[in-house]
RNA sequence: CGGGUUGUAGCGCAGCUUGGUAGCGCGUUUGACUGGGGGUCAAAAGGUCGUGGGUUCAAAUCCCGCCAGCCCGACCA
């Protein structure tokens, strides 16, 4: 590591999934824990999640929702109430069967006090919330019921990766109940838009909005809508989902109300969620071979100031100058908050500090040494530009311009990601071309597959069996039936059967 | 869950085939020299070799179980 050209090895093109893990570690976002598949989210990673929470929570409140909290444990019998739901989640449930530990003869603790009815650790909360709503909803006057909870959930996955798929993860789940189908559908779409707005406006991550095919739908939902993003390895990542649950869960949990005519009706429900997976999505959308790149609106620090002190006698003056610079920057605002400034006064070499913050993805770095002080300027670098590209800026101009600069970086990241997605999205009408587009380059066994493929916009007849075959053969699925695209009819790229519109095909996380 | 592979100092690794009680690079600490970019020199600290058992006079090394990571599958709103 004497003089590497990149801070992260391997690079994205050498080994994408290893690169991802190294970025997570280099930026000090999270690490594996002693428990299989469960991560420790470290302060820098958690700060990003807190920013996501803050923004999303504000959006949920603006759309009329309130937060509440429901139990971690769900009686197994609750899960049994909705057949499709059971199918979808039973395989990945952690089950609590005992409530006490006793010391065994060999000094080891053994479970004792078997529960009459086992509890599952929530993989999602439709059933427990449904049972609660059944009590809360009596009259049409109790509707709509608009509630969100911030919680952890557990899904016993076979293969895990930090942030992208872990056994335990943090998320929010909104659960609403409505008097009419129309209202519930409207809610489903409204929250989908909230997610899309957040992804694009705050994460600087372009997303496709669409509906899931039968095969990809949430277990128990009538319709699942999603936002799908393209990662830099050109695979699709589902970044959020919004479900129209119809009356399925209302019937399973007996959420009923008397309407204005005094008739007994089942409520119409929705649920919607995003998780800490968004952190993984953000990493894989923007970061480069020098580490994390944070969109300013979600960065725990917008600006890091690195004092450059070579002679002890300069120290006091530089400290005073940089502290006042930090204070003035904090008086500026960006995205409705004060500019977040990190003043790095650690007793370390300047170069080490700079690389530390590059890897952590801070949008703007400034260095201040005696020469800058004398010139009343700062030496500035942007994380979205090559790390050698640095510029002296007058102090006053820098302070005045910081908000606009952060917005420019934010917009630039979105544009770069959007251009990437466009460049790797292809309209395909020919079966052979479709196959060639997704065919994996041949490599040795047990070696990561090189980056290839992308999004294909192709017609699909809608037959789940055809989709399953393609998945078996190419590892490609329909990510969504996009909402934005017109209903241009055509012929299925696989079977030639009539197709109402193009869908998005891709390999997925 | 199947196949493969890995686990030795904070990080990256060597040592294991042919058992003889641990080494390298980076990092860390201290000192000096440096000084607008992950610097140079010197000294030092730091390891029950993932874990539990077995074989042996002796195990990082051989055998078995378990735990965890990674890759390829299967699976996964």
């Amino acid at each position: 590591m004497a003089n590497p050209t990149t801070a992260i090895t391997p690079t994205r093109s050498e080994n994408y999934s290893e690169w991802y893990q190294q970025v997570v570690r280099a930026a000090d976002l999270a690490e594996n824990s002693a428990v299989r598949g469960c991560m420790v989210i470290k302060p820098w990673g958690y700060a990003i999640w807190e920013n996501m929470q803050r923004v999303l929570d504000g959006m949920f409140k603006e759309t009329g929702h309130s937060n509440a909290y429901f139990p971690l444990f769900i009686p197994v019998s609750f899960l049994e109430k909705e057949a499709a739901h059971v199918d979808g989640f039973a395989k990945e449930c952690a089950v609590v069967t005992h409530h006490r530990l006793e010391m065994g003869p060999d000094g080891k603790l053994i479970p004792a006090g078997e529960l009459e009815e086992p509890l599952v650790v929530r993989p999602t909360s439709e059933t427990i919330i449904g049972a609660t709503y059944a009590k809360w909803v009596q009259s049409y006057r109790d509707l709509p019921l608009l509630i969100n909870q911030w919680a952890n959930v557990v899904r016993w996955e076979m293969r895990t990766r930090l942030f992208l798929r872990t056994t335990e993860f943090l998320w929010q789940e909104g659960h609403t109940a409505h008097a009419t189908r129309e209202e519930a559908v409207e809610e489903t779409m409204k929250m989908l838009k909230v997610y899309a707005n957040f992804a694009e406006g705050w994460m600087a991550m372009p997303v496709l909005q669409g509906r899931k095919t039968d095969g990809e739908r949430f277990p128990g939902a009538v319709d699942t809508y999603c936002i799908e993003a393209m990662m830099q390895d050109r695979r699709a990542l589902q970044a959020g989902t919004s479900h129209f649950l119809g009356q399925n869960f209302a019937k399973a949990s007996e959420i009923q109300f008397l309407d204005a005519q005094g008739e007994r009706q089942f409520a119409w429900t929705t649920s919607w969620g995003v998780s800490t997976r968004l952190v993984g999505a953000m990493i894989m959308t923007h970061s480069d071979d020098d580490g994390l790149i944070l969109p300013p609106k979600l960065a725990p620090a917008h600006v890091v100031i690195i004092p450059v002190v070579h002679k002890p006698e300069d120290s006091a003056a530089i400290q005073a100058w940089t502290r006042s610079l930090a204070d003035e920057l904090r008086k500026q605002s960006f995205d409705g908050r004060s500019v977040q400034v990190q003043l790095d006064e650690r007793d370390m070499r300047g170069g080490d500090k700079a690389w530390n913050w590059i890897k952590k993805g801070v949008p703007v770095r400034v260095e201040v040494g005696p020469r800058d002080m004398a010139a009343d300027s700062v030496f500035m670098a942007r994380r979205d530009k090559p790390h050698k590209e640095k510029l002296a800026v007058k102090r006053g101009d820098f302070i005045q311009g910081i908000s606009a600069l952060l917005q420019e970086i934010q917009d630039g990241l979105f544009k770069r990601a959007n251009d990437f997605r466009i460049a790797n999205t292809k309209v395909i009408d020919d079966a052979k071309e479709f196959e060639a587009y997704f065919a994996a380059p041949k490599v040795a066994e047990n070696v990561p597959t090189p980056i290839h493929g992308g999004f294909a916009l192709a017609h699909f007849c809608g037959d789940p069996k055809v989709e399953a075959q393609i998945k078996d053969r190419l590892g490609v699925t329909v990510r969504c039936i996009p909402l934005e695209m017109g209903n241009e009819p055509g012929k299925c790229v696989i079977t030639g059967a009539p197709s109402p519109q193009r869908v998005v095909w891709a390999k997925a996380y």
Side-chain angles (χ1 to χ4, degrees):
Chain A
M1 283 269 284
N3 194 14
T5 49
T6 60
I8 303 295
T9 45
T11 60
R12 286 164 291 181
S13 58
E14 285 165 352
N15 185 342
Y16 191 82
S17 66
E18 179 65 19
W19 164 84
Y20 173 79
Q21 294 172 78
Q22 294 303 326
V23 171
V24 170
R25 191 169 60 175
D28 213 22
L29 299 174
E31 63 188 36
N32 280 306
S33 70
V35 185
R36 180 198 187 99
C38 294
M39 64 177 167
V40 175
I41 304 177
K42 301 183 75 173
W44 194 248
Y46 200 78
I48 294 166
W49 176 239
E50 285 179 309
N51 280 339
M52 290 177 166
Q53 282 186 300
R54 175 176 47 77
V55 174
L56 284 165
D57 200 63
M59 291 175 164
F60 299 156
K61 304 264 169 71
E62 273 170 31
T63 44
H65 303 86
S66 304
N67 286 329
Y69 187 78
F70 296 85
L72 171 68
F73 298 121
I74 298 176
V76 167
S77 59
F78 280 33
L79 215 62
E80 289 163 354
K81 288 179 187 170
E82 216 293 332
H85 200 60
V86 175
D87 276 355
F89 285 111
K91 293 185 293 295
E92 47 190 67
C93 283
V95 187
V96 178
T97 55
H98 295 74
H99 66 88
R100 192 169 71 241
L101 289 170
E102 282 175 0
M103 189 70 80
D106 56 357
K108 298 234 167 82
L109 291 168
I110 47 175
E114 187 170 355
L115 299 179
E116 203 150 302
E117 181 180 355
L119 300 168
V120 303
V121 180
R122 62 179 163 222
T124 180
S125 302
E126 274 75 6
T127 58
I128 185 82
I129 291 179
T132 312
Y133 281 10
K135 292 194 288 182
W136 291 358
V137 175
Q138 301 291 327
S139 151
Y140 70 95
R141 295 191 182 90
D142 298 325
L143 296 173
L145 192 50
L146 306 173
I147 286 178
N148 175 66
Q149 90 164 338
W150 290 96
N152 58 338
V153 285
V154 166
R155 295 181 188 177
W156 212 265
E157 302 284 358
M158 288 299 127
R159 199 171 165 182
T160 60
R161 303 178 87 190
L162 293 173
F163 291 113
L164 298 174
R165 172 168 285 116
T166 48
T167 300
E168 179 190 15
F169 56 93
L170 307 182
W171 79 344
Q172 60 66 218
E173 47 181 327
H175 294 270
T176 69
H178 306 263
T180 66
R181 178 189 179 96
E182 292 66 35
E183 251 186 65
V185 169
E186 189 189 328
E187 167 80 6
T188 308
M189 301 315 291
K190 182 196 286 176
M191 299 321 288
L192 182 73
K193 303 290 174 209
V194 165
Y195 289 153
N197 182 28
F198 175 75
E200 302 200 326
W202 274 261
M203 295 174 69
M205 179 176 77
V207 292
L208 295 174
Q209 301 174 47
R211 185 165 52 84
K212 286 294 189 187
T213 57
D214 295 354
E216 298 274 327
R217 197 189 299 135
F218 176 75
V222 172
D223 269 318
T224 287
Y225 295 86
C226 61
I227 53 172
E228 294 277 334
M230 181 186 282
M231 303 295 100
Q232 289 183 77
D233 61 353
R234 305 185 211 155
R235 287 167 71 187
L237 184 89
Q238 178 177 297
T241 49
S242 185
H243 314 292
F244 170 60
L245 302 174
Q247 292 178 310
N248 293 350
F249 284 91
K251 284 176 179 166
S253 302
E254 299 191 308
I255 309 172
Q256 295 183 83
F257 65 97
L258 289 176
D259 68 15
Q261 284 72 47
E263 300 277 338
R264 229 171 146 65
Q265 305 263 11
F266 283 110
W268 299 81
T269 66
T270 80
S271 67
W272 28 274
V274 296
S275 70
T276 37
R277 180 179 241 203
L278 289 180
V279 178
M282 194 195 69
I283 297 166
M284 288 202 293
T285 299
H286 301 303
S287 302
D288 65 12
D289 295 334
D290 285 328
L292 187 64
I293 296 181
L294 289 164
K297 286 187 181 180
L298 294 175
H302 295 128
V303 183
V304 58
I305 301 171
I306 303 173
V308 179
V309 183
H310 295 307
K311 298 189 186 115
E313 58 267 33
D314 294 336
S315 171
I318 291 174
Q319 187 180 74
W321 204 90
T322 50
R323 285 184 182 180
S324 95
L325 173 65
D327 286 343
E328 287 187 57
L329 282 168
R330 290 188 183 109
K331 287 180 196 149
Q332 301 297 308
S333 72
F334 173 65
D335 192 34
R337 314 166 64 207
S338 77
V339 168
Q340 307 290 300
V341 183
Q342 184 90 37
L343 177 56
D344 189 351
E345 293 183 328
R346 289 177 297 172
D347 181 19
M348 277 169 62
R349 290 179 175 286
D352 289 347
K353 286 190 202 178
W355 279 103
N356 190 259
W357 295 111
I358 289 171
K359 288 185 277 194
K360 282 176 171 286
V362 175
V364 178
R365 302 189 307 283
V366 295
E367 292 160 21
V368 178
R371 277 190 252 155
D372 305 296
M373 247 172 27
D376 197 40
S377 69
V378 300
F379 207 43
M380 181 194 84
R382 298 166 49 158
R383 185 59 183 91
D384 62 335
K385 305 266 186 182
H387 64 83
K388 285 184 179 149
E389 201 172 310
K390 288 179 289 191
L391 194 67
V393 183
K394 285 286 176 194
R395 174 189 168 123
D397 294 345
F398 178 69
I399 293 167
Q400 288 307 310
I402 188 62
S403 183
L405 174 65
L406 291 168
Q407 188 62 49
E408 183 187 325
I409 294 172
Q410 179 83 27
D411 296 342
L413 290 177
F414 179 83
K415 182 173 188 311
R416 186 155 79 187
N418 200 232
D419 289 348
F420 181 83
R421 191 185 72 186
I422 290 166
N424 291 291
T425 300
K426 200 172 180 187
V427 174
I428 297 181
D429 289 314
D430 177 73
K432 282 214 175 71
E433 191 186 348
F434 185 86
E435 194 125 343
Y437 187 60
F438 286 116
K442 285 214 171 84
V443 286
E445 291 239 344
N446 296 321
V447 165
T449 314
I451 295 171
H452 64 284
F455 284 6
L457 302 178
H459 280 287
F460 173 49
C461 59
D463 184 346
K465 275 179 280 185
V466 172
E467 191 182 0
Q469 280 167 16
I470 294 295
K471 185 179 178 183
D472 282 350
R473 207 147 48 81
L474 295 172
V476 171
T477 50
V478 176
R479 297 324 304 152
C480 70
I481 303 160
L483 300 178
E484 300 98 329
M485 256 180 273
N487 289 6
E488 162 223 359
K491 285 182 187 162
C492 176
V493 71
I494 316 295
T495 63
S499 150
Q501 74 167 103
R502 289 180 188 279
V503 302
V504 180
W505 297 84
K507 291 184 180 168
Y509 272 93

